[in-house]
């Protein structure tokens, strides 16, 4: 009898362990923090007359690395864009939203390694970079898309400055991001905590390896949520 009970316990534990393994998210590390689960996306029902703003932060790398090799930039119709700026323009054109570039007083390095190192130092020191550009008519907008690259499993520190500067109460905030595999990490949860009185809805995320198909994928997301014109 004891052997039978023990066998049943072992089988139950094995099944539970297999289920947990099958349903856990894969993790990426840079020798530091694993990627966290993303926030559950809520459905939305927005008015077609909603006034849209598309704010974005981007730093296109300028060290000559081709976009297909993983640099955070893309050339479209002869113009060089940061990956996030490119996605922001797609969203703007599809929704009729106004574009707003989140710019800092300081200039970030254009080389990949130098940019990665600078971003890491900022994140570790929890620096709030001073913003050069400011939204003057935020009250006019109902929906605010906010785009950024994923730096060190988080949104860049200038985005913390951005969300601390503005009150998005009563508005719908839709984060979107570009990344190298980590998607949003914890950033949507962070934005939700920073903007407690706003409706925060997770938008599209685009891998730097999939920029060639970014337009089609972003447009499909917008149409699915009733946001395309």
């Amino acid at each position: 009898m004891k052997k039978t009970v023990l066998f049943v316990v072992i089988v139950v534990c094995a099944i539970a362990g297999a289920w947990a393994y099958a349903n856990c998210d894969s993790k990426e590390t840079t020798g530091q923090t694993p990627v966290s689960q993303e926030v559950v996306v809520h459905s939305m029902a927005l008015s077609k007359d909603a006034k849209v703003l598309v704010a974005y932060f981007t730093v296109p790398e300028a060290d000559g690395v081709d976009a297909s090799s993983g640099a955070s930039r893309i050339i479209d119709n002869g113009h060089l864009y940061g990956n996030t700026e490119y996605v922001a323009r797609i969203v703007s054109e599809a929704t009729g939203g106004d574009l707003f570039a989140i710019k800092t007083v300081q200039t970030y390095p254009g080389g990949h390694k130098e940019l990665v190192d600078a971003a890491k130092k900022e994140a570790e020191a929890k620096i709030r970079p001073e913003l050069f550009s400011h939204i003057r008519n935020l009250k006019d907008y109902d929906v605010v898309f906010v785009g950024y690259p994923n730096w060190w499993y988080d949104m860049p520190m200038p985005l913390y400055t951005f969300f601390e500067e503005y009150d998005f109460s009563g508005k719908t905030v839709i984060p979107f991001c570009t990344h190298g595999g980590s998607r949003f990490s914890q950033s949507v949860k962070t934005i939700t905590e920073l903007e407690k009185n706003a409706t925060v809805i997770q938008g599209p995320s685009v891998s730097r390896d999939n920029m060639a198909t970014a337009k089609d994928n972003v447009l499909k997301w917008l149409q699915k949520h009733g946001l395309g014109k």
Side-chain angles (χ1 to χ4, degrees):
M1 180 66 179
K2 291 183 179 180
K3 290 183 178 179
T4 302
V5 172
L6 179 59
F7 175 75
V8 171
V9 171
I10 292 173
V11 170
V12 170
C13 290
I15 293 173
W19 182 91
Y21 179 80
N23 288 276
C24 71
D25 288 341
S26 61
K27 297 181 179 180
E28 294 182 6
T29 62
T30 54
Q32 293 189 343
T33 310
V35 176
S36 299
Q37 291 183 339
E38 295 180 11
V39 176
V40 174
V41 181
H42 298 284
S43 61
M44 68 180 95
L46 301 175
S47 168
K48 290 185 178 180
D49 297 326
K51 183 70 172 175
V52 177
L53 177 67
V54 184
Y56 67 93
F57 174 76
T58 193
V59 181
E61 295 173 11
D63 56 2
V65 180
D66 184 77
S68 63
S69 300
S72 58
R73 64 183 196 162
I74 185 170
I75 297 176
D76 182 53
N77 292 325
H79 296 283
L80 173 65
Y81 301 107
N83 285 350
T84 308
E85 179 184 9
Y86 177 67
V87 176
R89 287 180 175 274
I90 294 170
V91 174
S92 173
E93 291 175 5
T95 62
D98 296 332
L99 276 173
F100 174 79
I102 302 171
K103 297 181 179 180
T104 56
V105 172
Q106 73 180 63
T107 300
Y108 285 90
H112 179 75
K113 184 180 186 305
E114 292 78 9
L115 178 58
V116 168
D117 291 344
K120 183 178 181 181
K121 289 179 181 178
E122 275 193 351
E124 290 177 342
K126 299 186 184 303
I127 293 172
R128 299 298 194 267
E130 183 181 354
L131 299 184
F132 175 77
S133 58
H134 303 276
I135 303 172
R136 301 300 181 189
N137 57 334
L138 181 61
K139 60 181 176 55
D140 295 342
Y141 297 99
D142 307 296
V143 180
V144 183
F145 284 85
V146 183
Y148 50 87
N150 184 321
W151 285 0
W152 293 96
Y153 306 116
D154 199 357
M155 58 186 180
M157 296 313 293
L159 270 296
Y160 280 86
T161 309
F162 178 81
F163 282 110
E164 290 168 1
E165 177 173 337
Y166 301 105
D167 180 4
F168 292 96
S169 295
K171 301 184 186 300
T172 297
V173 177
I174 306 177
F176 64 92
C177 81
T178 56
H179 61 90
S182 303
R183 295 187 286 181
F184 285 96
S185 298
Q186 300 184 72
S187 60
V188 177
K189 179 181 178 182
T190 299
I191 293 169
T192 302
E193 292 171 349
L194 291 173
E195 301 296 337
K196 298 182 183 299
N197 296 316
T199 300
V200 179
I201 299 170
Q202 182 175 297
S205 64
V206 181
S207 168
R208 67 188 181 195
D209 296 326
N210 297 326
M211 292 307 296
T213 59
K215 186 170 185 177
D216 287 342
N217 292 334
V218 171
L219 290 178
K220 285 179 182 177
W221 188 95
L222 292 171
Q223 291 168 0
K224 178 180 178 180
H225 294 85
L227 290 167
K229 295 295 185 181

